[in-house]
Each structure stands twice: as structure tokens, then as C-alpha cells.
Amino acid sequence: GQQVMQIPQYQHVQEGEDFTTYCNSSTTLSNIQWYKQRPGGHPVFLIQLVKSGEVKKQKRLTFQFGEAKKNSSLHITATQTTDVGTYFCAAFISNFGNEKLTFGTGTRLTIIP
Amino acid sequence: GAVVSQHPSRVICKSGTSVKIECRSLDFQATTMFWYRQFPKQSLMLMATSNEGSKATYEQGVEKDKFLINHASLTLSTLTVTSAHPEDSSFYICSVSETSGAGAKNIQYFGAGTRLSVL
């Protein structure tokens, strides 16, 4: 079953409002990656977090890795129409001894202009 | 990052036909490529890991005889959906992974994807 959960599943915000998506795992993660998929497009790598409590920023995007390395968040300040898309977290999780990149359930962001 | 080309971008076919999808790594020699499937409004599910010069590794529940993978060179992997049926309609995406430095895991670079519609 899905081992990396994201909430919310959908988020509709007014342009200019902030947006946050949360990623949670039942197991401790070695690192977390975030990807963005525009409607009709393919996932594009955004960032990778490795250290406990790590915070990284990319312009209006702030990524955080939890102290216990079981959760992560992506916060967008003052959303713009270009932020539309589905945001996935992803982590390497061991399954029967093999480590595989497992994607979260995703959060679909729509912007009301 | 790595540049990945996937072709075709869209296929519409009749039930029972086979469809081949190509994934090329344009600037990177990829000994390993990955094939994902994504149903509408859902997450990406890894189908198989394509290994250059050897058999692909399939995920649990993925039929290897249904989804044939060939990785004959360091720049090309193909996925053939054999005897396609409407339930195989989906978005198929390939990727290559690239190392990202000490302590970090590989980053995935995706092709543009192939939208398969089986009538």
C-alpha cells in the first residue's frame, strides 16, 4: 500500500494566497524529494532534503524536512497562476531489501485568478 | 540534469494491438531506466526497472509478459504494451536517475510521457 501520504489531496486558493502541502511517512526516511507536475505534463524535480530539520528555499517556495525525518512540507508564499499543478513528495523506501523511489499521493493545486 | 526523450507522446489504438513506447537518454548513458504508470488524478506507480543488457525488474503485480521491456543500449529503453485492452489506457512515463552528491539520493529526470488510449 501507499507508504507516503500527502494532504490535502486538492487545494484551491485565490491568487496571492499561500499554499502548503504536507507529506507523511510511517517510516524514517533517509531523504525526501519534491517534484512538480503541471497539468498534462511530466514530473519535474524541485529539491531534495537530507538532514533532519533541514529548511531550503527557492524564491517563494519553502521546503522543510521534519526533525524525526518522517514528514516534510512545501509552502508557497503568494501563489501565482504559474504555480498550478500537482506537487509530489518522494522518498526512497526499502521493499524486500530493494530501495525504490516511492511517490506520495500528491496535492493538486488550482489557482483562482 | 539529464535530458530524456519519450516517443510517441500520444497513442490511440484498437483493443488487441501492441504498442511500443521509446525512451531515450539524450545526454547521459543510462544503465538503468525506470517505467512508471499514472492513472488520471493519481500518483506515479513504478512498473519496472529497465537494466541495460539484462532483464528488467518488474514490480509486484505487473505482468512481465504484458509489458515487455527492452534496454538494448545505454541510451534507449522500450516498453511494449502487448495485446492492449481498455484497462491499459494510462499515462506511461520513463525516467533516468542521476546522482546528486554525497549523502543524497539519485534524482529522477522524466520523459514527457505517453498517453495511451485503447478503444
Side-chain angles (χ1 to χ4, degrees), chain A residues 30-31 33 35 37 41-43 45 48 50 88 92 99-101 103-104 108, chain B residues 36 38 41 43-44 46 59 91 93 100 103-108 110-112:
Chain A
S30 58
N31 74 346
Q33 299 178 356
Y35 293 80
Q37 185 176 22
H42 60 280
F45 173 77
Q48 179 164 224
V50 179
F88 292 100
F92 281 88
E99 252 199 349
K100 294 189 175 73
L101 186 62
F103 281 81
R108 176 175 287 207
Chain B
Y36 292 84
Q38 185 179 36
K41 300 181 181 180
S43 187
L44 288 86
L46 180 65
E59 293 302 300
F91 190 50
I93 322 175
S100 56
K105 297 289 188 178
N106 289 356
I107 295 168
Q108 300 291 310
F110 290 88

Side-chain angles (χ1 to χ4, degrees), chain A residues 42-109:
Chain A
H42 60 280
V44 174
F45 173 77
L46 294 177
I47 210 156
Q48 179 164 224
L49 304 171
V50 179
K51 299 176 185 175
S52 167
E54 187 172 13
V55 177
K56 286 188 177 180
K57 292 191 175 185
Q58 287 180 351
K59 297 182 180 178
R60 293 178 296 104
L61 277 62
T62 302
F63 303 84
Q64 189 165 6
F65 201 8
E67 293 289 341
K69 299 183 81 173
K70 287 187 174 183
N71 56 71
S72 180
S73 65
L74 158 58
H75 180 81
I76 303 178
T77 304
T79 54
Q80 300 174 0
T81 54
T82 53
D83 295 325
V84 165
T86 302
Y87 292 84
F88 292 100
C89 61
F92 281 88
I93 294 177
S94 282
N95 200 6
F96 300 103
N98 292 322
E99 252 199 349
K100 294 189 175 73
L101 186 62
T102 301
F103 281 81
T105 47
T107 296
R108 176 175 287 207
L109 172 64

